[in-house]
Amino acid sequence: MQKKNWLVTGVSTGLGRAFAEAALAAGHTVAGTVRTEEDLRAFEGLKPGHAHGRILDVTDDHAVSRTITEVEQSVGPLDVVVANAGYGLEGVFEETPLSEVRRQFEVNVFGTVATLQAALPHMRRRRRGHLMAVTSMGGLMAVPGMSAYCGSKFALEGILEALGKEVAQFGIHVTAIEPGSFRTDWAGRSMTRAAHTIDDYDALFNPIREARQKASGNQLGNPAKAGEAVVHITSVDRPPAHLVLGSDALRLVTAARAAVDEDIRTWEALSRTTDFAEGAHL
C-alpha cells in the first residue's frame, strides 16, 4: 500500500481516533485535530514522527483554513482528509430550541464544509485525493427525538453527493461514511440533550432514549474494524460514494430507503399529473 498523508478531525476519542489509529497502523502519516493540549500530547504519543496533533475548533473557519495550509506545508501534501468532528443532539423537534439546532448545524455541517473546502484546492491542483466525511446511518434514515442531528447528517449527504460529482473530473474521490452504532462514547459524552419541556412525547421518545443509553458501551460496532474499513477504501481504484458501516446500519438504512421507494411507487400517478403537456426534460 502506498504511504499517504492523512488529516482527520476529532481524533481524541471515538471513530475519529479509530480512523487515525488504523491509518497509523497501516504506515500512513496522520495529522489529527483535537481541542486540548492534553489530547494533542496523547495523540502524538501514539506514533511519534507520524502522528501530528493540531488544536482546532472546526467552527472557526479561518482557523480551519490556516491549519490545513500549515499541515500541507509542514507534514506534507494531504492525500486523505476525513472530516469526522461532530456531536449528537437529542430532543424531539418541538422542544429543541432553534439556537441548539443552529449549533448542531454549525459543528456537524459547516465545520465539515469548512474542512473539505480548505483541503480541496490543494487536491485539485494535484489532480488527486480522497475527501471523506462522517455522516451517520442517521443521514439516510431518521428516528424520533433526533431531528436536528439527522437533519445535519442528511444535509451532509446532499453536499457530499454533489461534491463528488463536481470533483470526479479532477481525480478526487468523495465518500460519505455512514456508521451505525459503534462502541464509542457517542451516546454518552458526545451526546447533548435539549431541555425536556413537553410531556406529550414521552411515551414515544423515552423508550428510544433509554434503549440507546442502555446499549452505550455495548454497541454492536467495533471501532477498530471501522478504521480498517476506511483505510481499505483509500487503497482501491473506485472507492464508494457511500460506505455504510455496521450490520445494524445496513438493516435500518435498507428499510428506510425501501419506505421511500414505496411512497414513490404508490404516488407515481399523482406525481405525473403536475407536468405541463410539453416541457424540457432534465
Side-chain angles (χ1 to χ4, degrees):
M1 181 184 294
Q2 179 185 357
K3 304 310 179 187
K4 298 179 179 181
N5 295 323
W6 289 51
L7 181 135
V8 183
T9 62
V11 298
S12 58
T13 60
L15 286 177
R17 182 59 162 258
F19 299 151
E21 288 180 345
L24 289 168
H28 302 302
T29 296
V30 181
T33 75
V34 296
R35 296 297 300 274
T36 69
E37 287 284 352
E38 181 181 3
D39 287 339
L40 185 150
R41 290 191 295 272
F43 176 68
E44 292 192 332
L46 292 176
K47 194 170 184 180
H50 292 271
H52 303 272
R54 296 293 186 272
I55 294 177
L56 179 66
D57 175 355
V58 297
T59 66
D60 184 337
D61 302 346
H62 296 297
V64 171
S65 181
R66 287 195 304 269
T67 298
I68 288 181
T69 297
E70 184 273 325
V71 167
E72 281 266 339
Q73 294 169 349
S74 62
V75 176
L78 290 170
D79 303 293
V80 180
V81 170
V82 184
N84 162 78
Y87 72 99
L89 170 62
E90 66 175 16
V92 298
F93 177 83
E94 190 178 353
E95 69 180 4
T96 305
L98 196 54
S99 60
E100 294 194 36
V101 176
R102 285 196 174 101
R103 176 63 181 171
Q104 179 81 114
F105 274 67
E106 190 66 36
V107 176
N108 289 4
V109 180
F110 299 120
T112 295
V113 168
T115 301
L116 300 182
Q117 282 192 337
L120 179 54
H122 303 285
M123 291 184 174
R124 178 172 50 79
R125 283 193 291 270
R126 292 190 289 268
R127 292 300 197 259
R128 59 180 171 82
H130 196 161
L131 297 171
M132 290 189 262
V134 178
T135 68
S136 167
M137 65 179 177
L140 296 173
M141 50 78 67
V143 294
M146 299 291 291
S147 60
Y149 176 77
C150 290
S152 72
K153 298 302 188 177
F154 268 72
L156 277 183
E157 289 285 338
I159 291 169
L160 293 169
E161 188 164 324
L163 173 60
K165 294 173 181 177
E166 292 172 0
V167 302
Q169 62 182 317
F170 307 129
I172 299 171
H173 304 294
V174 178
T175 298
I177 304 169
E178 296 133 351
S181 59
F182 276 78
R183 207 166 293 183
T184 68
D185 62 358
W186 180 83
R189 184 184 66 84
S190 296
M191 177 74 71
T192 64
R193 171 75 162 96
H196 177 260
T197 58
I198 305 172
D199 294 338
D200 280 348
Y201 295 103
D202 289 354
L204 171 68
F205 180 49
N206 283 354
I208 296 172
R209 183 171 192 256
E210 289 166 5
R212 182 165 54 245
Q213 290 176 327
K214 185 177 180 180
S216 183
N218 193 42
Q219 293 95 328
L220 183 64
N222 183 332
K225 291 183 178 180
E228 292 169 1
V230 168
V231 170
H232 172 69
I233 67 167
T234 66
S235 67
V236 301
D237 292 334
R238 298 180 63 184
H242 300 273
L243 181 64
V244 176
L245 295 176
S247 58
D248 56 350
L250 286 172
R251 173 175 53 83
L252 293 168
V253 167
T254 298
R257 294 178 76 81
V260 172
D261 290 342
E262 179 61 24
D263 270 351
I264 292 172
R265 285 192 298 269
T266 300
W267 296 98
E268 179 180 358
L270 182 62
S271 298
R272 295 185 184 281
T273 66
T274 61
D275 290 352
F276 280 108
E278 295 181 357
H281 287 267
L282 297 178

